Amino acid sequence: LFDVQTALKSHILGHDKLATADRILRNCVHCGFCIAACPTYQVLGNELDSPRGRIYLIKNILEGGEVSLQTKKHLDRCLMCRGCETICPSGVEYYELLKLGKDVVSSHLALPLTTKIKQYLLRKFLTSGIIFNFMAKVRKLKSNVISSNNPQEDKVLLMGVCVQNALAPNINGATLKILQKLQLNVTVEENTCCGAIDFHLEGKNDALKKIKTNIKNWYQALQEDTGLIISNASGCGAMIKDYPKIVQNDPEVYAQASFVASRTLDIAEYLATKDLSIFKSERSGRIAYHSPCTMQHWQKINKVVEKILADLGFKLVEVADSNLCCGAAGTYAIMQPKIANKLKQQKLKNLTAGEPEEIVSANIGCILHLKSSSAVKVRHWVELLC
Ligand code: SF4
Ligand code: SF4
């Protein structure tokens, strides 16, 4: 076996984090299998914009090397799609390492004022419950809240998603109809931020406040009469399932976070366990499905949506390079528009090669991003069932 040598410096990261970084770095055997699966390498063709290149950069700074603007540039260009983790034969936890590397970079390099302002405004705008709740109300799309005395499994909480009700209200509308047709009591939350936007835009303190509030509220609901939390935005579902790792240093919150994560399902995971024959009709539509990275690489939910749609009679077209990110990646399309646009164009080319009537996906970010340049209709797959 390839013996990976590391010489990490203890003053750069605390003991626990250093041990984690050391373990991850030693797992990487530098085979390079991940390079071809990396969207930024495909666009930029530079090894430093590949997983292996970024791992070298992080190892270098953890060993006391210079934290330069070049290092920051290559780490910031990472989409955090985790496609490299899916393909890695050694099980390298690239995302965990990247978070540690980015923390070190942030502590050494001050952001330019313009970037700080852009990130701050973006965080405040996109996570503003006031603005998006108001928009949803103006559009007369405020959620129906249905109360129920029935305990546990037949009562579910449909999680609110910051921008979704305001920008794509049909998604919650369709999800609600489906769950009600399955005789469930559904509570639809007001817009709630899962914390992902703050977490990935240098707003860790704000993110932690939101995350801890969510854990407390959802844990309480699950202790009372709610059986499950259902998410129809894979980006949020992925974040919630990552809560235990984020709060792992706080034992009490960690236990509650683990419980919340274990009771959170993507709508696809939930529907896959149900008899969906009532949704069957004469359907022959040609559909291209784009599986978000947060679905396939983060939550490892693969071929579930495809199976549901095929069982209901839809014809799914083949999509080349379906493992690659579309470029939306949270706020990446705003922070790195050139790369995001190239990835979007390539993704749309692949999605439309089989001449589908519609493109469907499972995350609001991907849907809005693809829709902005697509000649073919793009929407959430649950809308096909209504
Ligand atoms: S991350 Fe995995 S696939 Fe990539 S170089 Fe390291 S061991 Fe190989
Ligand atoms: S997370 Fe995605 S963009 Fe980042 S290195 Fe891995 S494959 Fe490349």
Side-chain angles (χ1 to χ4, degrees), residues 16 88 110 181 236 245 286 329 332 370:
D16 288 354
C88 174
K181 264 195 175 175
C236 303
K245 272 196 179 146
R286 287 172 68 77
Y332 190 92
L370 294 172

Side-chain angles (χ1 to χ4, degrees), residues 27-34 52 55 88-90 92:
N27 273 345
C28 175
V29 294
H30 308 303
C31 63
F33 286 168
C34 53
R52 188 171 67 180
I55 289 170
C88 174
S90 298
V92 171

Side-chain angles (χ1 to χ4, degrees), residues 97-373:
L97 184 68
L98 179 77
K99 282 192 288 184
L100 296 173
K102 289 186 98 168
D103 282 350
V104 175
V105 171
S106 308
S107 65
H108 280 72
L109 293 177
L111 284 176
L113 188 61
T114 47
T115 310
K116 265 191 190 167
I117 294 172
K118 191 172 173 185
Q119 289 189 339
Y120 180 81
L121 292 177
L122 206 51
R123 289 200 291 114
K124 293 297 164 194
F125 176 69
L126 289 177
T127 64
S128 167
I130 296 171
I131 294 173
F132 289 109
N133 275 329
F134 177 72
M135 281 170 72
K137 279 176 192 167
V138 168
R139 297 180 71 176
K140 298 196 170 98
L141 294 160
K142 185 172 181 307
S143 317
N144 300 331
V145 176
I146 304 160
S147 61
S148 162
N149 294 321
N150 295 343
Q152 299 304 318
E153 291 298 329
D154 71 341
K155 179 162 181 186
V156 297
L157 180 74
L158 178 58
M159 111 163 252
V161 177
C162 307
V163 297
Q164 192 162 276
N165 256 359
L167 301 184
N170 292 345
I171 299 176
N172 264 12
T175 311
L176 191 57
K177 264 193 210 161
I178 293 166
L179 295 175
Q180 286 175 335
K181 264 195 175 175
L182 291 170
Q183 308 293 319
L184 293 163
N185 292 311
V186 188
T187 299
V188 186
E189 251 188 346
E190 286 276 311
N191 296 343
T192 304
C193 178
C194 66
I197 289 171
D198 288 317
F199 193 78
H200 297 302
L201 275 183
E202 313 263 348
K204 288 240 166 84
N205 289 340
D206 284 354
L208 271 176
K209 269 188 219 154
K210 288 181 178 125
I211 289 168
K212 287 186 176 174
T213 303
N214 290 343
I215 291 169
K216 185 169 159 248
N217 293 342
W218 292 335
Y219 182 76
Q220 194 179 337
L222 290 167
Q223 291 300 303
E224 290 167 2
D225 57 358
T226 298
L228 290 168
I229 296 165
I230 291 185
S231 161
N232 56 13
S234 62
C236 303
M239 184 70 183
I240 296 167
K241 290 176 184 178
D242 217 33
Y243 279 180
K245 272 196 179 146
I246 295 171
V247 299
Q248 63 190 338
N249 293 330
D250 186 334
E252 198 181 325
V253 185
Y254 174 78
Q256 294 188 357
S258 301
F259 186 69
V260 167
S262 71
R263 291 300 190 97
T264 300
L265 292 183
D266 184 87
I267 182 73
E269 289 178 286
Y270 183 72
L271 293 182
T273 65
K274 300 287 164 193
D275 174 5
L276 299 179
S277 48
I278 50 168
F279 299 103
K280 227 170 188 162
S281 63
E282 290 308 308
R283 298 171 203 261
S284 58
R286 287 172 68 77
I287 303 294
Y289 173 62
H290 165 57
S291 180
C293 301
T294 42
M295 198 82 166
Q296 54 174 320
H297 303 308
W298 285 65
Q299 299 189 72
K300 308 286 184 205
I301 302 172
N302 287 302
K303 305 288 173 207
V304 177
V305 174
E306 291 93 322
K307 183 170 185 323
I308 291 173
L309 294 180
D311 288 351
L312 290 175
F314 292 97
K315 167 98 182 79
L316 284 138
V317 302
E318 287 288 323
V319 180
D321 291 335
S322 58
N323 60 313
L324 293 184
C325 179
C326 67
T331 54
Y332 190 92
I334 301 168
M335 303 305 291
Q336 304 277 355
K338 281 191 189 152
I339 303 172
N341 194 40
K342 283 192 180 155
L343 290 170
K344 177 170 62 177
Q345 298 308 336
Q346 189 54 48
K347 179 60 72 180
L348 283 171
K349 196 170 156 204
N350 290 335
L351 284 165
T352 53
E355 300 186 348
E357 288 157 37
E358 292 192 42
I359 295 167
V360 294
S361 190
N363 190 47
I364 180 71
C366 306
I367 292 167
L368 295 177
H369 181 60
L370 294 172
K371 205 172 176 173
S372 66
S373 300

Side-chain angles (χ1 to χ4, degrees), residues 34-35 37-41 49-52 54 75 77-85 94-95 98 325 332:
C34 53
I35 294 178
C38 176
T40 55
Y41 179 76
D49 290 307
S50 79
R52 188 171 67 180
R54 294 185 177 112
L75 298 191
R77 281 178 176 169
C78 174
L79 294 138
M80 292 187 268
C81 67
R82 298 174 75 174
C84 47
E85 290 186 13
Y94 166 83
Y95 172 63
L98 179 77
C325 179
Y332 190 92

